[in-house]
Amino acid sequence: MSLLALDSRWRRLNDESYACPCCGRSFGGIVDIGFDHPDCWTHEALTENDTETVTVDADFLTPDLCRFEGLHFVHAVLPLPVRGSTDTFFFGVWASVAEADFKAYVQDATSEAPGFEGCAAWLMNDLPGFETTQALSCHLTAPETPVERPRLMVQDGPLAQAQAEGISFDHLLDIYAASGTDIRPHLMG
């Protein structure tokens, strides 16, 4: 048994039958945080059902791909293991890639013989709990299955360290709070 399993807040987060005494809110586990577009996207957002494409001149945004002012983006997941558990928290982020890599990724997604093995990329969202003023160099890996998104692995700095070593449960709660959803009071019981 891990020390995290002894944390009553962790148990409450993962217990679907737990209801917050003040408001009745329940959780059922880790909730990932996603971005529906790269931070630089200035056009309208996707609709709620995420099935439409937003097109403005040569720019476009779909749930999976984006082109904006000549730049090319792929929607990916950025994994952060939670120390003391087997769970992983994911940010749904956008990665900027070279045009040739973008075309290879798109071709691979429609091909019966996958060949995309990954490429250099840049993180294109400012992440709560990991704010930075500089672009982060990353590696975009190929999806493991056709229904998964590619993974984005940061190369250096605190976010790369968090991907390698995991984050604490308290850091996860800080991320939720920084994103505008402070669940800490609801887990106190």
Side-chain angles (χ1 to χ4, degrees):
M1 176 186 297
S2 73
L3 289 178
L4 188 54
L6 300 174
D7 188 325
S8 60
R9 299 168 307 155
W10 178 256
R11 291 193 312 271
R12 289 182 187 116
L13 177 73
N14 289 288
D15 181 358
E16 292 179 17
S17 65
Y18 168 77
C20 173
C22 74
C23 65
R25 188 172 178 185
S26 62
F27 300 96
I30 291 176
V31 176
D32 301 327
I33 297 174
F35 297 87
D36 67 356
H37 58 272
D39 287 350
C40 62
W41 180 259
T42 57
H43 305 300
E44 68 182 277
L46 290 172
T47 60
E48 285 296 317
N49 62 11
D50 281 348
T51 58
E52 294 184 28
T53 299
V54 174
T55 304
V56 179
D57 299 323
D59 297 342
F60 70 86
L61 174 68
T62 75
D64 301 308
L65 304 169
C66 178
R67 182 177 58 220
F68 178 71
E69 295 183 354
L71 300 174
H72 298 81
F73 306 93
V74 174
H75 208 178
V77 294
L78 191 148
L80 292 171
V82 179
R83 286 193 309 259
S85 77
T86 58
D87 295 329
T88 300
F89 165 76
F90 291 94
F91 277 115
V93 297
W94 288 86
S96 174
V97 298
E99 183 177 8
D101 294 322
F102 181 82
K103 289 178 179 179
Y105 177 79
V106 171
Q107 181 178 3
D108 186 70
T110 59
S111 172
E112 291 184 28
F116 180 79
E117 295 181 11
C119 64
W122 295 93
L123 175 62
M124 297 307 295
N125 296 104
D126 195 19
L127 306 182
F130 293 97
E131 292 81 3
T132 182
T133 57
Q134 52 189 326
L136 297 178
S137 173
C138 302
H139 182 76
L140 183 72
T141 65
E144 294 181 15
T145 68
V147 296
E148 291 182 358
R149 292 197 187 280
R151 290 182 181 230
L152 193 63
M153 305 305 291
V154 180
Q155 299 300 302
D156 294 308
L159 190 51
Q161 183 177 357
Q163 284 189 295
E165 299 173 5
I167 59 172
S168 69
F169 180 47
D170 284 313
H171 192 174
L172 177 62
L173 294 175
D174 291 342
I175 290 169
Y176 289 147
S179 72
T181 306
D182 190 355
I183 64 171
R184 292 175 285 209
H186 304 286
L187 298 175
M188 298 312 288

